[in-house]
Amino acid sequence: MATNDYMIFAGSSNLPLANKIAKNIGRQLGSVELKRFSDGEIWVKYGENIRGLEVFIIQSTNPPAENLLELLIMIDAAKRASASKITAVLPYFGYARQDRKDQPRVAISAKLIANLITIAGADRVIAMDLHAAQIQGYFDIPFDHLKKNLVVVSADVGGIKIARAYAKLLDCSLVVIDKRRPKQNMAEIMHIIGDVDKKDVLIVDDLIDTAGTFVGAIEALKNKGANDIYGAVTHPVLSGEAIDRIEKSELKMLFVTDTINFDHHEKSSKIKIISAADLFAEAIRRTFNNESISSLFNIDKG
């Protein structure tokens, strides 16, 4: 491929991951200036000519909200600079937890964010391990959903379908945690569906925030006779007392990806980071070459 057929740029949300993705492809991140006015307003300027080129913008949209605004402004600037095609690469799609109207007078923020990204001018979106698969349908542009192939225990009833497919692939039994949420960032473990007695357990989920629910699941599994318990979570939000809760729990090890960049000094000795750079790099290659992305995940979801 020629060196000027497409370019990769990144916002400021997770530069370490963006650099790894670009390095994996054999390219450098394109030059883009990201500045703030004295009142915090965001200013963006591309430092090189992108007219007629396909542009990939890597930016997670986890809080603070400036990450989302930065993405939207970068998309708009690329469109006004006459990029031929703009793909938003979202290692972590923030505001995904409000994906339906589950009670009166609440927003469906996942749909709102999808609308904003589309209206800003994105032609395609690549994201990893959405909180709910139906969010893909909120976009009126092509959407590629990357999903890691690790499952033994589904962290909630909503993940049963994909959990069943992974359990079949890994030749493992399927266990489901049935929980309810009385309010945000709080869940009550109702039932453990499946046998975990005297078995090692791997809990998988799309994200871990305050870790209260996750640690509650560990305690419930231990009470049912589980042996060693491990976790595999894609997006390490890790807010509030999450690190402390993980350290004090009976969890052996938690595997997370680097879709969200968090301070290294806050890492627990029980947390191991696995980079998603290779996966995103391959997705970018295939997108530009009009090759299948779904074939990266040839598993039966039935």
Side-chain angles (χ1 to χ4, degrees):
M1 292 184 290
T3 58
N4 62 346
D5 42 15
Y6 70 93
M7 297 191 71
I8 305 171
F9 297 90
S12 59
S13 69
N14 196 342
L15 282 172
L17 174 59
N19 278 304
K20 289 178 185 177
I21 293 172
K23 182 177 180 181
N24 186 287
I25 297 174
R27 302 200 173 198
Q28 292 184 336
L29 292 176
S31 172
V32 59
E33 289 185 77
L34 296 167
K35 295 181 179 180
R36 298 289 192 275
F37 290 99
S38 60
D39 64 351
E41 185 177 324
I42 299 169
W43 181 89
V44 171
K45 179 182 179 181
Y46 287 92
E48 42 201 313
N49 182 19
I50 58 174
R51 180 181 293 272
L53 299 183
E54 187 167 344
V55 168
F56 293 84
I57 302 172
I58 303 171
Q59 176 80 335
S60 287
T61 58
N62 52 290
E66 280 79 2
N67 286 333
L68 173 61
L69 284 173
E70 208 173 82
L71 171 66
L72 298 176
I73 296 171
M74 289 182 72
I75 292 172
D76 184 73
K79 179 177 67 174
R80 296 179 189 279
S82 300
S84 64
K85 181 180 178 182
I86 302 167
T87 298
V89 181
L90 314 179
Y92 173 62
F93 180 80
Y95 294 92
R97 282 176 280 186
Q98 299 176 67
D99 59 353
R100 64 192 184 280
K101 190 172 182 180
D102 57 353
Q103 53 185 295
R105 301 177 297 280
V106 297
I108 305 178
S109 63
K111 173 58 176 171
L112 172 63
I113 302 307
N115 287 345
L116 290 172
I117 292 171
T118 303
I119 292 171
D123 298 294
R124 191 181 198 95
V125 172
I126 299 174
M128 183 172 179
D129 204 357
L130 292 170
H131 187 63
Q134 67 263 22
I135 291 174
Q136 298 170 79
Y138 294 166
F139 286 84
D140 295 323
I141 56 177
F143 193 108
D144 294 306
H145 185 201
L146 310 183
K147 178 78 178 180
K148 287 283 188 178
N149 290 358
L150 284 174
V151 149
V152 174
V153 176
S154 176
D156 54 40
V157 174
I160 288 178
K161 185 175 181 180
I162 195 70
R164 184 186 298 118
Y166 292 158
K168 180 180 178 181
L169 179 70
L170 298 171
D171 194 23
C172 297
S173 59
L174 173 63
V175 175
V176 178
I177 297 175
D178 178 24
K179 61 190 179 186
R180 70 179 185 90
R181 293 190 180 276
K183 61 181 181 179
Q184 287 82 3
N185 292 119
M186 180 179 292
E188 295 178 359
I189 307 300
M190 305 301 291
H191 303 96
I192 303 294
I193 305 171
D195 180 23
V196 297
D197 188 36
K198 297 182 176 60
K199 295 180 179 179
D200 294 334
V201 171
L202 175 66
I203 307 172
V204 298
D205 210 346
D206 61 309
L207 64 87
I208 181 168
D209 191 352
T210 64
T213 302
F214 199 86
V215 170
I218 293 169
E219 294 171 353
L221 290 165
K222 277 292 185 180
N223 290 336
K224 290 291 184 178
N227 289 334
D228 292 342
I229 299 178
Y230 299 84
V233 178
T234 304
H235 309 297
V237 178
L238 298 173
S239 66
E241 300 177 2
I243 299 291
D244 187 55
R245 287 188 176 119
I246 292 169
E247 275 292 304
K248 293 178 179 177
S249 74
E250 294 189 73
L251 183 72
K252 286 289 184 180
M253 185 64 68
L254 174 65
F255 298 91
V256 301
T257 73
D258 54 355
T259 57
I260 296 177
N261 188 31
F262 63 99
D263 293 336
H264 289 283
H265 72 273
E266 293 182 353
K267 286 193 297 183
S268 163
S269 60
K270 293 185 177 182
I271 296 178
K272 181 176 177 61
I273 301 174
I274 300 172
S275 182
D278 292 356
L279 188 61
F280 277 104
E282 183 61 23
I284 289 173
R285 286 194 197 96
R286 292 187 181 209
T287 298
F288 180 76
N289 292 324
N290 294 316
E291 298 173 359
S292 170
I293 288 182
S294 62
S295 62
L296 284 169
F297 309 95
N298 282 327
I299 58 173
D300 177 16
K301 296 184 181 180

